[in-house]
Amino acid sequence: MTTTTTENPVYKLELASSPHLHSRWNTKQAMWLVVLALLPAVISAVIFFGFYQLLIITVAIGFAVGTEAVIKLIRKQKVTITDGSGIITGLLLALILPPDFNLAFTALGSIVAIGLGKEIFGGLGFNIFNPALVGRAFLQAAFPVPMTTWTKPNFTEVDSITTATPLSAFKFDSVATELSSMFIGNIGGSIGETSAIAILLGGLFLIFAGVVNYRVPAAMVIGAVIFGGVFWLIDPALYPNPLFHLTAGGFLFGALFMATDWVTSPMTLKGMWIFGLGISLVLIIIRLFGGLPEGVMYAILFMNAFVPLINRYTRPRVFGEVK
Amino acid sequence: MKKQLTLSKEYLKGLWDQNPVFKQALGLCPVLAVTVSAINGIAMALATTFVLTSASLIISSIRKLIPTQVRIAAYILIIATFVTIVDLVMKAQFPELSKALGPYIPLIVVNCLILGRQEAFSSKNTVGRSLLDSLGMGTGFLIALFVLGGLREIFGTGTLLGIQVMPDFYEPWLVMILPAGAFLTLGLLFGAANSYLQKKEQDEKNYLIEKYLKAKKEADEMGGQAKWN
């Protein structure tokens, strides 16, 4: 997606090949709007899991920005940390980690996210995969046990230190969690992913501010309702209902903040629908039939790989072009 | 006729200039699969070197007797003979290692490094040169597998050749001994090798440009007598 990245867009003549996309915001402004939109999720994290989560967020952001600066210096390029993309990667990564996560691991995740997820491809705009998800996928593979240890939220009567997420409770113990607590966020799960209402607040703000396109999240929701609903209709006792799919795990967070990443989602409008539906299909397959309870991360990374192909085959025809 | 390399260069080219892994990207399947530890890498590389050298010796000595039409079948037969020897010896002498390497020892038969060297080198060169070439390639393979296996072992288990090298508080990164770690490490090593090479080429270019400019300046000072094309 070609967007202007200049500090002074009004006075600079941009020479770039089409497609030209016009936006109300330049990269820097849009990045700060995303940070703003993530604030409700950060607040919900502090409410449900305590102030320690702020430390994780700080470490993640600090190492993400630091890694970016160091790599830019080594490669003798302009240090671009003020564009806010490193801050967002760090913040997003922190919010999808388990609560009370080890700080050293968090730092490693940030370094991998920026180093292997973004800068190795050439920096912002060139990465194939969502950097924050690359960082999390690395941590998931490197430290499987800490990555699946879920601290219980603050407001429960159960006297224990850890808890199961609604998805793992459903998958391994066939226990359904109440939808109302999943909506508010008083459940086990990643730092910023538990509270559906906080994520919706930030996500809708982004959509109405024109920072992200509504099509990818809409396609994901429709896809999850259709694919999840089909199995629910087949056997309601065995498969969860579509509303559970929408509120559980990282679905909303992934749909509104991860899959809508400008760089790693399709450019064309038709492509966005295909992309969103594809994520949901992969997600439902992983959730219902895979070995893991949650699959939003892998579903998005998987579809990220198809984005160049989707862009190619959904290219709008030039007026007058004969097929 | 291509200019013949000196004998020492025939051996040394396998170490870096034509390193089978980093430059030719040959035999990547065992490279990725068995390098969970340094010792596995070394064992794999030694087994491959043995097969490569023995097969090269035989093939280069009978290279004029093998009909072109059936040469691949003949090579495979010769290679498979030595692979069987290695497989049986390892099973008898090092059962632990044999178990760790699993099917990858028999699979040396289809390792493209070995067949590739027979096709590209041994079938066209004398016995002596083929021996040096295959030993060089084997050493290059050993270096690559040791580096890859060593790095993965250090990060994945905190040890090198079974000896603890990382401090006690170090939490091993499980991903490094998984297939994903093999791809990550190999990709980063490829990238490092390429960026080193690019830098070297750029330096050489800059050196030549400087030399040219200096010579041109001198010639100009002499009154523009010399002609520059």
Side-chain angles (χ1 to χ4, degrees):
Chain A
M1 196 171 286
T2 325
T3 44
T4 52
T5 53
T6 56
E7 267 109 74
N8 214 345
V10 185
Y11 305 113
K12 189 164 175 188
L13 179 66
E14 284 281 330
L15 290 177
S17 69
S18 56
H20 300 292
L21 241 79
H22 295 275
S23 164
R24 259 182 278 172
W25 320 100
N26 65 24
T27 307
K28 209 174 184 175
Q29 289 166 332
M31 293 293 177
W32 285 108
L33 284 175
V34 177
V35 174
L36 195 65
L38 285 167
L39 275 183
V42 173
I43 293 167
S44 82
V46 173
I47 293 172
F48 291 115
F49 299 108
F51 281 99
Y52 181 79
Q53 316 321 321
L54 285 181
L55 204 59
I56 296 181
I57 292 170
T58 317
V59 167
I61 293 176
F63 272 85
V65 174
T67 311
E68 188 168 332
V70 167
I71 291 175
K72 290 285 184 197
L73 284 176
I74 291 173
R75 301 186 66 205
K76 300 191 181 78
Q77 291 176 344
K78 199 177 144 219
V79 178
T80 52
I81 52 173
T82 49
D83 68 13
S85 64
I87 296 173
I88 291 192
T89 302
L91 185 54
L92 286 175
L93 175 68
L95 290 177
I96 52 176
L97 292 174
D100 301 336
F101 196 60
N102 184 318
L103 292 179
F105 297 170
T106 310
L108 179 69
S110 275
I111 293 169
V112 170
I114 294 289
L116 293 184
K118 194 167 98 179
E119 290 301 327
I120 210 162
F121 294 103
L124 180 64
F126 298 99
N127 46 311
I128 305 168
F129 299 105
N130 188 316
L133 289 177
V134 170
R136 192 188 192 276
F138 183 87
L139 290 175
Q140 175 88 57
F143 313 111
V145 175
M147 280 300 282
T148 46
T149 307
W150 309 101
T151 314
K152 78 171 176 65
N154 282 337
F155 312 101
T156 43
E157 304 85 41
V158 192
D159 189 21
S160 66
I161 296 167
T162 59
T163 181
T165 65
L167 278 165
S168 59
F170 192 90
K171 183 150 196 158
F172 303 123
D173 309 319
S174 303
V175 179
T177 313
E178 248 183 88
L179 279 176
S180 62
S181 53
M182 288 169 70
F183 192 70
I184 297 164
N186 196 21
I187 47 169
S190 298
I191 295 175
E193 280 180 352
T194 57
S195 172
I197 191 162
I199 296 161
L200 275 175
L201 211 64
L204 291 178
F205 166 71
L206 277 189
I207 288 172
F208 285 113
V211 177
V212 302
N213 195 301
Y214 73 92
R215 286 178 182 82
V216 172
M220 277 180 71
V221 169
I222 293 170
V225 169
I226 294 174
F227 302 127
V230 165
F231 287 105
W232 181 59
L233 288 178
I234 292 172
D235 190 351
L238 198 57
Y239 301 113
N241 68 47
L243 263 180
F244 178 84
H245 279 300
L246 293 185
T247 44
F251 183 87
L252 281 175
F253 198 81
L256 289 163
F257 292 102
M258 293 293 183
T260 51
D261 177 20
W262 290 354
V263 181
T264 57
S265 63
M267 287 189 240
T268 58
L269 302 183
K270 210 201 289 175
M272 290 177 188
W273 288 107
I274 298 173
F275 180 69
L277 289 172
I279 293 173
S280 283
L281 180 62
V282 177
L283 168 71
I284 298 293
I285 291 172
I286 295 177
R287 275 190 183 173
L288 297 182
F289 307 106
L292 296 164
E294 173 62 318
V296 172
M297 168 178 75
Y298 294 117
I300 295 177
L301 286 174
F302 185 79
M303 288 308 289
N304 279 165
F306 283 95
V307 166
L309 196 70
I310 294 173
N311 277 337
R312 197 186 164 93
Y313 283 97
T314 57
R315 194 168 58 103
R317 278 164 66 193
V318 178
F319 180 69
E321 186 188 24
V322 181
K323 211 171 187 178
Chain B
M1 185 73 195
K2 226 171 71 185
K3 212 177 83 184
Q4 290 241 308
L5 293 168
T6 61
L7 288 178
S8 63
K9 279 208 176 132
E10 204 75 83
Y11 172 74
L12 288 173
K13 69 171 195 257
L15 301 192
W16 177 250
D17 285 345
Q18 293 187 28
N19 186 296
V21 175
F22 294 128
K23 292 297 169 59
Q24 306 188 51
L26 285 176
L28 291 187
C29 176
V31 169
L32 290 166
V34 304
T35 51
V36 291
S37 66
I39 192 76
N40 280 8
I42 293 172
M44 186 69 203
L46 289 180
T48 310
T49 310
F50 170 76
V51 175
L52 180 61
T53 317
S54 319
S56 283
L57 274 181
I58 303 268
I59 286 166
S60 59
S61 55
I62 59 167
R63 66 185 186 277
K64 284 171 186 150
L65 300 176
I66 303 176
T68 324
Q69 291 86 343
V70 295
R71 66 184 193 286
I72 301 286
Y75 297 164
I76 292 286
L77 193 66
I78 294 164
I79 295 166
T81 311
F82 289 107
V83 172
T84 312
I85 295 173
V86 171
D87 194 22
L88 294 177
V89 167
M90 282 195 85
K91 270 194 185 130
Q93 298 296 327
F94 313 101
E96 286 293 309
L97 214 50
S98 173
K99 210 174 267 172
L101 294 180
Y104 291 98
I105 290 291
L107 278 176
I108 295 175
V109 177
V110 286
N111 188 323
C112 50
L113 166 63
I114 296 176
L115 195 62
R117 286 329 283 173
Q118 309 314 329
E119 180 78 5
F121 201 90
S122 302
S123 58
K124 297 169 192 154
N125 287 283
T126 58
V127 178
R129 280 181 181 275
S130 299
L131 180 65
L132 286 171
D133 173 77
S134 51
L135 282 175
M137 289 295 156
T139 319
F141 200 60
L142 177 69
I143 294 172
L145 261 72
F146 177 71
V147 171
L148 191 61
L151 282 176
R152 286 181 69 191
E153 192 182 343
I154 290 172
F155 287 112
T157 50
T159 60
L160 181 62
L161 295 170
I163 303 154
Q164 181 121 11
V165 287
M166 283 298 202
D168 280 336
F169 60 81
Y170 177 75
E171 184 83 22
W173 309 352
L174 202 63
V175 65
M176 295 303 273
I177 52 173
L178 297 174
F183 283 103
L184 279 178
T185 320
L186 189 67
L188 289 174
L189 286 176
F190 267 30
N194 281 343
S195 94
Y196 171 75
L197 205 71
Q198 274 176 5
K199 209 170 162 244
K200 217 169 112 187
E201 271 174 14
Q202 193 60 46
D203 285 351
E204 273 167 21
K205 254 186 217 161
N206 289 345
Y207 174 73
L208 285 177
I209 291 170
E210 259 171 41
K211 211 169 131 189
Y212 170 80
L213 288 177
K214 212 174 143 196
K216 191 173 185 319
K217 207 177 152 199
E218 275 171 16
D220 286 346
E221 277 166 7
M222 279 165 69
Q225 296 288 323
K227 275 183 183 166
W228 291 94
N229 297 328

